[in-house]
Amino acid sequence: MMGCRFGLFAGLVLALCAVEGAVGSLIVMAPEETTGGTPKLLVLINGAGIGNEHYRATAAAIMTSAASCNVSLWVAIPSFLLDTPNPAELHGKVTEAIAAVGSRGFGGINASADVFVGGHSLGGIFAQHEVATHAYAGLILLGSYLTTAYGYDVETFGTPTLTVGGEVDGLTRVTYLAAQLEGLEARVAREGDVAAFEYAVALAPGVSHSQFASGVNVT
């Protein structure tokens, strides 16, 4: 029954994608030629109802920070039907993003070593399932969290993960981060201090759910 429902949903997505203007364009942001450093790729998945263009400033800030750490970071921001990520499109969109970046100058991309998948809000929920079922270098959650809906938690998740929450994020409550931090403490006790860096949980003071993007107000 679940397979039938998923098939119907996938068919609906494909049909709507055929409608002109239903889906925007993939955004690819290349690092400055003077950046140097080790090339990496972040595929950034938007939140529900937020167009991918609203993540340009976030991506640029991450790229600048990466450059200071000697990482030459590319960022690809896919677009989705109705500006909302969904499981039917997600893997194809990530694969498309990797291929597009490869064709624009980042040759020989190794997904398990070079590609990080990040997601804001609902994009982070779906991104974690993508990372858990395919080989990528890491997961970045912005205003999102590892969810038990997929059976994931910080104590057992197998891919290095950075979770960044907002102090005044009314949608992704700080209690979710507290639960992840408790799980992280258990993992550190079991695996040592390295786990604190590979599965870090961070809180951004004064940041709301909307501030992981630009020019939007998520009510």
Side-chain angles (χ1 to χ4, degrees):
M1 184 65 178
M2 285 296 294
C4 180
R5 288 177 180 174
F6 183 81
L8 287 172
F9 180 69
L12 176 61
V13 167
L14 292 174
L16 289 174
C17 283
V19 178
E20 184 177 358
V23 179
S25 300
L26 169 70
I27 295 172
V28 174
M29 299 174 65
E32 296 288 341
E33 293 183 3
T34 57
T35 299
T38 305
K40 299 291 179 182
L41 167 61
L42 170 63
V43 181
L44 185 57
I45 309 301
N46 58 289
I50 305 174
N52 61 348
E53 69 276 4
H54 292 288
Y55 292 89
R56 286 184 180 272
T58 301
I62 295 172
M63 293 168 75
T64 298
S65 180
S68 71
C69 298
N70 200 36
V71 174
S72 183
L73 186 67
W74 293 72
V75 178
I77 316 173
S79 62
F80 292 87
L81 175 69
L82 303 180
D83 292 328
T84 300
N86 61 80
E89 291 187 279
L90 188 61
H91 182 63
K93 292 288 187 177
V94 174
T95 301
E96 176 190 11
I98 295 172
V101 170
S103 70
R104 298 186 194 189
F106 186 173
I109 299 176
N110 180 339
S112 63
D114 301 327
V115 178
F116 294 81
V117 179
H120 173 220
S121 193
L122 183 64
I125 299 297
F126 291 144
Q128 63 195 261
H129 185 58
E130 171 70 12
V131 167
T133 52
H134 298 86
Y136 297 105
L139 171 68
I140 300 173
L141 300 175
L142 304 174
S144 193
Y145 55 95
L146 288 171
T147 173
T148 55
Y150 285 121
Y152 306 143
D153 61 70
V154 73
E155 285 193 64
T156 60
F157 199 70
T159 303
T161 300
L162 169 63
T163 302
V164 182
E167 181 185 28
V168 291
D169 186 339
L171 292 181
T172 308
R173 295 189 298 274
V174 72
T175 51
Y176 294 145
L177 293 186
Q180 278 199 218
L181 188 58
E182 289 180 2
L184 176 59
E185 291 171 346
R187 188 160 193 159
V188 168
R190 185 176 69 246
E191 301 178 10
D193 290 343
V194 66
F197 296 94
E198 292 186 345
Y199 299 91
V201 178
L203 185 67
V207 170
S208 71
H209 197 74
S210 300
Q211 287 176 285
F212 291 101
S214 301
V216 295
N217 182 25
V218 181
T219 58

